[in-house]
Amino acid sequence: MKKSLILVGTQWGDEGKGKIVDYFSSKFKAVCRFQGGHNAGHTIYQGKEKFVLHLIPSGIFYDHVKCFIGQGVILSLDSLLSEIDEIESKGINLEGKLRISRYCSLLLPIHAKIDQLREDHKNSIGTTRRGIGPAYEDKTARRSIKAFDLEDKDLLKKKVFDLVSYYNYQIETIFNSTTFDPGEVLKELIEKYKKASKYFGDVTDTLEDIYGDGDPILYEGAQGTLLDVDYGTYPYVTSSNTLATSVGIGSGFPKSIFSDVLGVAKAYTTRVGEGPFPTELFCDDGKKIADIGNEYGATTGRPRRCGWLDLEALKYSAKLNNLTSLCITKLDVLDDFNQIKVCIGYQVDGELSSFKSRLLHKSKPIYKTIDGWGCSLKDAKNFNELPIEAKAFIELIEEFTKIPVSLISNGPNREDLILR
Ligand code: GDP
Ligand code: IMO
Ligand code: MG
């Protein structure tokens, strides 16, 4: 049997995971999200039409694919319902095609409010302001409203009232802002869940059945390795474990851990929000990458910070995720550069350093400069058709990370992909 595949971002998110999951979905019958929430923005093109998916897996546009949201995902019913509406308006019926774990913790509007108040208050980390941090805090603090709580109205009322009073105290005393009416929160939650309840059920057993029938599963990571709450650039991270190794917990299907792992990396680096970024460019080259790469957040529209490819960071990600192969995206964005820089290490106060040093805010990148290819890669259909300089760029990545590059993306559309 073909192996299952976990696809993860290896940088600070927005590596092009959505496009690559969409490509692989033609070969899988099931696609599963296992962490994160609607902070994710995964862009795919269906012909000329653009979709940005936040919660629903990027395999949704294939008739033969069933989509799953595992319990590791923090679920906003508002975001879910509007995404369902948008997809169904394109004539795709999601009933029987989408299944969400009853164990998911729910993200409520009060979480987004707290996230926004905190961001505006002090020590902003540039979150997506969606409420992801507070919702994961509640999960760990055992305060979350779980989807299954909606099945016991008495318990639900107590949990919602407790949660709202917990946050109202902060909203009032710390932020001097408008509090929430617990009765309204409860009513809205019940109404929204009613609309979405048909999508909730068991995910573990269903994945097990699909796998047991001989069909491998595609797991879609969100965010990126360097945003992992444990191994990323803490505290400038998201609040979930983004690594491939979190797939077992997040999907609820333990055999998911025996999968191949494909890491997606841009041919350069971007980051949205605050936090250290050793190869960040503040010169015209950075602006040029941003313009050509159209580097604006798919979820928030914020401009992304841009810099050269950081192989020191990529090597760190490759190890942590136990990558079996790499996909390099947006190679075409570098078409017009005479020279391209690639970071192959760091120095701190004149001494060699590494990503693990956690002195990233003081790290100066050591660059290797290579010649650009100076032509459009748009029409290249296989590796041999790439200019020698582009091949050398890919081979440098392989040599440094010791991971084979099995896919190269040279444009935003499904067919802009070179298999190796
Ligand atoms: P994700 O969050 O990892 O799914 O990535 P995003 O969708 O947030 O951002 C990636 C952006 O790059 C999207 O606008 C994609 O359409 C676009 N994209 C993906 N692959 C390529 C590529 O190879 N070349 C170009 N030019 N754009 C790409
Ligand atoms: P995809 O799946 C890029 C970043 C935010 C912020 C930090 C914390 O599209 O790659 P959060 O709202 O999660 O508490 O914000 O994480 N961030 C992302 N950056 N792509 C994402 O998702 C991101 N999800 C969160 O910008 O710096
Ligand atoms: Mg994105």
Side-chain angles (χ1 to χ4, degrees):
M1 184 176 101
K2 208 173 65 179
K3 265 180 134 177
S4 293
L5 182 67
I6 307 165
L7 189 145
V8 288
T10 57
Q11 296 162 320
W12 280 288
D14 302 327
E15 296 89 350
K17 299 176 292 293
K19 171 188 156 158
I20 306 303
V21 169
D22 173 62
Y23 162 75
F24 273 106
S25 296
S26 64
K27 305 173 193 315
F28 287 84
K29 287 191 180 160
V31 185
C32 179
R33 275 278 306 269
F34 56 94
Q35 47 68 231
H38 67 307
N39 48 350
H42 295 182
T43 313
I44 52 184
Y45 281 89
Q46 262 260 325
K48 286 218 169 336
E49 206 168 358
K50 176 177 160 178
F51 282 90
V52 181
L53 295 165
H54 302 287
L55 280 169
I56 295 179
S58 303
I60 200 71
F61 295 108
Y62 288 89
D63 289 343
H64 69 276
V65 172
K66 284 206 165 31
C67 286
F68 296 89
I69 299 181
Q71 65 89 32
V73 171
I74 288 289
L75 200 100
S76 153
L77 288 170
D78 286 326
S79 177
L80 177 76
L81 289 170
S82 68
E83 211 163 322
I84 289 173
D85 275 355
E86 195 189 338
I87 293 171
E88 292 209 323
S89 74
K90 304 291 166 197
I92 298 170
N93 181 7
L94 293 183
E95 206 167 345
K97 192 171 167 60
L98 172 67
R99 178 175 284 233
I100 306 165
S101 171
R102 291 169 63 247
Y103 297 164
C104 279
S105 295
L106 300 180
L107 186 153
L108 310 180
I110 205 164
H111 293 120
K113 167 101 175 184
I114 282 286
D115 194 359
Q116 288 155 20
L117 289 169
R118 285 181 187 167
E119 283 288 299
D120 292 339
H121 188 57
K122 58 179 177 189
N123 300 331
S124 163
I125 63 161
T127 73
T128 59
R129 302 168 79 91
R130 299 285 191 272
I132 302 295
Y136 271 115
E137 280 168 39
D138 279 358
K139 175 176 160 175
T140 310
R142 298 165 293 194
R143 272 192 302 268
S144 276
I145 314 291
K146 295 275 186 177
F148 62 69
D149 286 327
L150 273 289
E151 292 156 25
D152 179 342
K153 295 286 178 302
D154 300 327
L155 181 63
L156 177 71
K157 182 171 178 189
K158 178 174 172 2
K159 288 190 73 170
V160 169
F161 274 61
D162 283 351
L163 188 77
V164 172
S165 93
Y166 172 79
Y167 281 122
N168 273 349
Y169 179 75
Q170 296 179 32
I171 292 172
E172 214 165 18
T173 55
I174 304 174
F175 304 108
N176 192 23
S177 185
T178 322
T179 53
F180 283 67
D181 173 345
E184 276 301 309
V185 172
L186 179 66
K187 189 167 140 254
E188 256 185 46
L189 179 59
I190 292 171
E191 277 169 14
K192 283 171 196 161
Y193 186 73
K194 214 182 250 170
K195 290 189 197 153
S197 63
K198 62 185 174 193
Y199 300 107
F200 284 84
D202 178 87
V203 165
T204 301
D205 288 350
T206 319
L207 290 180
E208 194 171 340
D209 289 347
I210 293 173
Y211 189 77
D213 286 344
D215 290 312
I217 293 155
L218 176 59
Y219 299 96
E220 175 175 359
Q223 289 79 53
T225 302
L226 310 180
L227 288 170
D228 182 274
V229 67
D230 284 302
Y231 293 94
T233 47
Y234 192 90
Y236 300 100
V237 291
T238 190
S239 296
S240 68
N241 284 111
T242 60
L243 299 182
T245 43
S246 68
V247 74
I249 297 285
S251 68
F253 179 45
K255 287 188 182 129
S256 57
I257 63 175
F258 304 116
S259 305
D260 283 335
V261 186
L262 176 70
V264 185
K266 274 178 188 166
Y268 49 93
T269 312
T270 63
R271 172 162 210 173
V272 203
E274 304 300 317
F277 179 177
T279 63
E280 183 169 14
L281 291 168
F282 300 97
C283 58
D284 287 349
D285 280 341
K287 205 178 153 334
K288 188 167 160 185
I289 291 175
D291 288 346
I292 299 173
N294 192 24
E295 293 298 350
Y296 296 91
T299 295
T300 57
R302 289 177 291 172
R304 296 175 181 146
R305 299 154 65 190
C306 295
W308 296 118
L309 179 62
D310 185 342
L311 287 183
E312 173 61 27
L314 190 55
K315 194 161 76 174
Y316 172 83
S317 289
K319 250 189 179 178
L320 273 176
N321 288 296
N322 198 23
L323 294 187
T324 44
S325 63
L326 268 168
C327 168
I328 302 299
T329 58
K330 305 192 90 161
L331 192 61
D332 53 299
V333 173
L334 301 181
D335 282 355
D336 204 22
F337 285 81
N338 292 330
Q339 295 204 305
I340 295 165
K341 287 188 182 173
V342 176
C343 168
I344 52 167
Y346 306 138
Q347 276 190 333
V348 174
D349 298 332
E351 300 280 325
L352 275 184
S353 183
S354 71
F355 195 91
K356 276 186 160 172
S357 74
R358 288 297 183 272
L359 293 170
L360 291 181
H361 51 293
K362 292 184 176 172
S363 297
K364 301 262 174 291
I366 303 167
Y367 285 119
K368 186 178 168 75
T369 303
I370 62 168
D371 288 336
W373 38 94
C375 62
S376 169
L377 297 184
K378 200 161 67 66
D379 296 326
K381 295 281 171 247
N382 60 56
F383 191 70
N384 288 333
E385 285 177 23
L386 287 175
I388 192 161
E389 296 85 355
K391 284 184 196 157
F393 179 80
I394 296 295
E395 283 160 359
L396 175 63
I397 296 172
E398 291 184 317
E399 195 184 310
F400 200 88
T401 59
K402 306 278 182 276
I403 307 292
V405 174
S406 60
L407 285 167
I408 298 160
S409 173
N410 57 341
N413 297 310
R414 224 180 236 178
E415 56 281 8
D416 303 326
L417 204 56
I418 295 171
L419 311 187
R420 192 142 173 249

